[in-house]
Amino acid sequence: MKLKSVLFSALFAFSSLVLFSACSQSDGSKVANKKAGDTSAKAKGEEADTLSVVKSTYPPTDKALYDSLLKFNAHSDTSGRWPVKNQPYPLGGAILPFKRVVSFYGNLYSKKMGILGELPPNEMLAKLKGEVKAWEKADPKTPVQPALHYIAVVAQGDGGKDGKYRYRMPFKQIDSILVLAKKAHAIVFLDVQVALSNIQAELPLFEKYLKMPQVHFGMDPEFSMKDGSKPGKKIGTYDAADINYVTGYLANIVKKNGLPPKILVVHRFTRKMVTNYKNIKLRPEVQVVMDMDGWGEPDLKTGTYRYFINQEPVQFTGFKLFYKNDIKKAPHHMLLPAEVLSRYSPYPIYIQYQ
């Protein structure tokens, strides 16, 4: 992809700071009290709690089922790249590929960074529920796990006191997301844009949340400015070594706390955003998703997925849909679930809406 075809998201105002919206193109309730005799409401509450409560044990992975689902999701791939060979079986309690994750992305401080912060909470959750139903209809074979994907560290246009050009969101915001997620029976992703900081400095800040079984992680190479450039001036990068640091850190949390596997989402829409992909280490404690993060018309997104996701296999794939940016250019159409499933090999098992 030519750099000029990459369109950076607009800057938005956050108090006296200017923050960058994530992801360009290659181009946040009180729980209602339940009556003691309301058994259906009680059951529903128990279902929500199961996501955030660590179980004493998790059923071991059904290896035969796992293999069959990997083959199904390869979507008749003939290249030999999919399913990814010699990957470890995950620990018990793994989400992928037994469920497809459908997430809403954004930040509660901004209506411009994604649907998560654009709509009032209840309206947003209702819309997420609608997208979950649409994906269940498009692929009845694969249950859907809703998710809220929250940008916890945001690249910004101001250097800040330490000159790192990133703003760390207050923990009270994460707490709000956890409340919303519980209401929607959703898992949570904490996403980090390091700017002139680095992943080794930012990831440990969220350990208390990552010890929770329903909390997972996302890392965005676009805003990892290893050469000292200001975020937004060019596209950043992560190396396999950075990703291996994150999977190793997450694996240790999983092992120490008796958790099911974490999902790590790595955003990508150019080749240089992730270097040395063959050196990425897969672990039973972490499931790695390479998420096609570019926006634009359907044919452009198809090319991006083919060249930077399909042809550089890691483990699982994801696909991002933009409610506004995907319809900017002709044919002014955001792909529907059935269209995504018909166009892409392998099937993306993680779907993100911005």
Side-chain angles (χ1 to χ4, degrees):
M1 294 287 174
K2 295 181 179 179
L3 184 59
K4 69 178 181 180
S5 69
V6 180
L7 302 180
F8 284 95
S9 303
L11 297 179
F12 73 95
F14 166 62
S15 299
S16 61
L17 301 172
V18 179
L19 309 180
F20 278 103
S21 146
C23 309
S24 348
Q25 167 58 5
S26 40
D27 151 84
S29 67
K30 294 181 180 178
V31 179
N33 292 326
K34 306 295 190 297
K35 295 181 179 180
D38 188 351
T39 56
S40 62
K42 182 179 179 181
K44 204 168 187 178
E46 289 173 353
E47 181 185 347
D49 286 343
T50 60
L51 288 174
S52 59
V53 175
V54 180
K55 299 178 182 179
S56 57
T57 60
Y58 293 88
T61 297
D62 184 330
K63 295 181 180 180
L65 177 59
Y66 185 86
D67 287 339
S68 69
L69 291 176
L70 288 184
K71 185 176 180 180
F72 169 75
N73 283 304
H75 192 190
S76 303
D77 176 76
T78 59
S79 68
R81 291 187 288 266
W82 302 93
V84 173
K85 299 176 178 62
N86 301 318
Q87 60 174 289
Y89 288 105
L91 298 181
I95 295 175
L96 309 177
F98 306 103
K99 293 181 179 181
R100 172 174 283 111
V101 175
V102 173
S103 71
F104 271 13
Y105 172 95
N107 181 285
L108 296 180
Y109 281 139
S110 172
K111 294 184 178 182
K112 296 182 178 180
M113 293 184 72
I115 193 67
L116 176 59
E118 181 179 347
L119 300 178
N122 288 337
E123 187 178 340
M124 180 271 294
L125 294 180
K127 189 175 182 68
L128 174 59
K129 185 176 181 180
E131 297 294 5
V132 166
K133 289 182 177 179
W135 280 94
E136 290 173 337
K137 182 178 180 180
D139 179 12
K141 182 181 177 69
T142 309
V144 175
Q145 172 61 62
L148 299 181
H149 197 118
Y150 165 74
I151 313 168
V153 178
V154 183
Q156 63 174 18
D158 185 277
K161 292 181 179 180
D162 61 2
K164 299 299 184 182
Y165 289 87
R166 54 90 179 91
Y167 190 85
R168 296 166 174 165
M169 297 296 123
F171 283 171
K172 65 181 181 180
Q173 250 210 29
I174 299 177
D175 297 337
S176 297
I177 293 294
L178 291 171
V179 171
L180 288 173
K182 184 174 181 179
K183 186 176 181 179
H185 309 284
I187 60 175
V188 170
F189 288 85
L190 301 181
D191 202 275
V192 169
Q193 303 172 0
V194 300
L196 270 66
S197 181
N198 56 67
I199 199 67
Q200 292 82 358
E202 304 301 326
L203 173 58
L205 301 176
F206 303 101
E207 181 164 345
K208 73 173 186 176
Y209 292 108
L210 292 166
K211 289 179 180 180
M212 302 176 183
Q214 80 277 29
V215 179
H216 303 266
F217 195 71
M219 55 194 299
D220 196 342
E222 180 180 359
F223 300 102
S224 171
M225 316 311 296
K226 290 180 178 293
D227 65 354
S229 299
K230 293 181 181 180
K233 298 298 183 182
K234 59 189 294 187
I235 299 170
T237 184
Y238 276 129
D239 186 70
D242 299 300
I243 297 172
N244 289 340
Y245 165 78
V246 175
T247 61
Y249 192 97
L250 295 176
N252 285 335
I253 290 177
V254 168
K255 288 184 286 190
K256 289 179 181 179
N257 296 278
L259 302 176
K262 295 294 183 184
I263 300 174
L264 170 63
V265 172
V266 183
H267 305 294
R268 186 180 194 184
F269 56 87
T270 71
R271 178 158 282 115
K272 291 183 179 180
M273 285 176 73
V274 177
T275 55
N276 299 308
Y277 81 95
K278 292 182 179 180
N279 294 335
I280 295 174
K281 182 178 179 180
L282 301 181
R283 311 173 192 267
E285 302 86 3
V286 183
Q287 300 189 287
V288 180
V289 174
M290 302 303 294
D291 177 40
M292 201 297 285
D293 196 30
W295 61 263
E297 60 273 27
D299 286 347
L300 181 59
K301 293 172 77 81
T302 296
T304 303
Y305 189 89
R306 178 184 300 121
Y307 291 114
F308 309 130
I309 303 298
N310 175 289
Q311 293 186 11
E312 296 197 359
V314 177
Q315 189 174 26
F316 297 99
T317 70
F319 194 84
K320 192 163 184 176
L321 294 160
F322 292 76
Y323 285 113
K324 295 179 180 178
N325 288 350
D326 280 356
I327 64 173
K328 283 186 175 181
K329 295 182 179 180
H332 310 291
H333 173 66
M334 186 184 78
L335 291 166
L336 300 173
E339 293 175 304
V340 173
L341 294 173
S342 67
R343 278 174 171 259
Y344 302 115
S345 175
Y347 292 133
I349 201 68
Y350 171 87
I351 303 296
Q352 185 178 98
Y353 284 90
Q354 182 172 337

